[in-house]
Amino acid sequence: MEIISNEKKKLSRQSSSFRLRSPSLNTLRLQRIFDLFDKNNDGFITVEELSQALSRLGLNADISELKPTIESFIKPNETGLRFDGFEALHKTLDESFFGGECECDGSPDSDLEEAFNVFDEDGDGFISPVELQNVLKKLGLPEAGEIEHVEKMIVSVDSNHDGRVDFFEFKNMMQSVLVPSS
């Protein structure tokens, strides 16, 4: 229990950017995260895949501590977590570490600000090509390979042509790709 208590303290001090807050988008976001973590696309996330994904995101966790918790959500005779187990694990961790309560103000922009802050690593209010590349690398995405490709991604949403993405440009880009929930 002391480990969980220490983890709660550590998580409460860290950025809450990894916490998924909007109930209407949670399932879609979790499915995208599940798909990213499922490196071999077999429909399962193994303990090893989850550990590697967390490490890439800078959340280094001891696999021996993760394993019993994760395995408790894996169905008998399966090699890893299916999406429903991953979703149940997320819900349990959310309730354990955050009390299951949303700290956001409920405004449509709060989720976007949270997402923007994941990319704005230095907190200067802009996403630079290097910051975007760093996050893409952490997620193991091939788009991170060449800075020229990342710069093209920035240019595609950089409406004021300053070579970086501010929150309003990010918001406009996200509104064009997000499908409203019904």
Side-chain angles (χ1 to χ4, degrees), residues 4-64:
I4 290 177
S5 178
N6 289 339
E7 288 297 315
K8 281 184 185 179
K9 289 177 187 173
K10 189 187 303 181
L11 285 172
S12 67
R13 287 191 308 264
Q14 292 177 351
S15 165
S16 60
S17 298
F18 293 101
R19 188 149 176 244
L20 304 179
R21 298 169 189 250
S22 172
S24 63
L25 294 177
N26 264 352
T27 302
L28 176 62
R29 289 177 180 169
L30 281 174
Q31 184 65 58
R32 288 181 180 166
I33 292 168
F34 180 88
D35 293 342
L36 283 171
F37 289 3
D38 180 17
K39 283 302 197 186
N40 61 358
N41 298 313
D42 65 355
F44 295 98
I45 297 177
T46 64
V47 173
E48 292 75 22
E49 286 173 324
L50 187 56
S51 177
Q52 290 169 0
L54 292 174
S55 292
R56 284 193 302 273
L57 291 170
L59 302 171
N60 296 318
D62 184 350
I63 195 165
S64 64

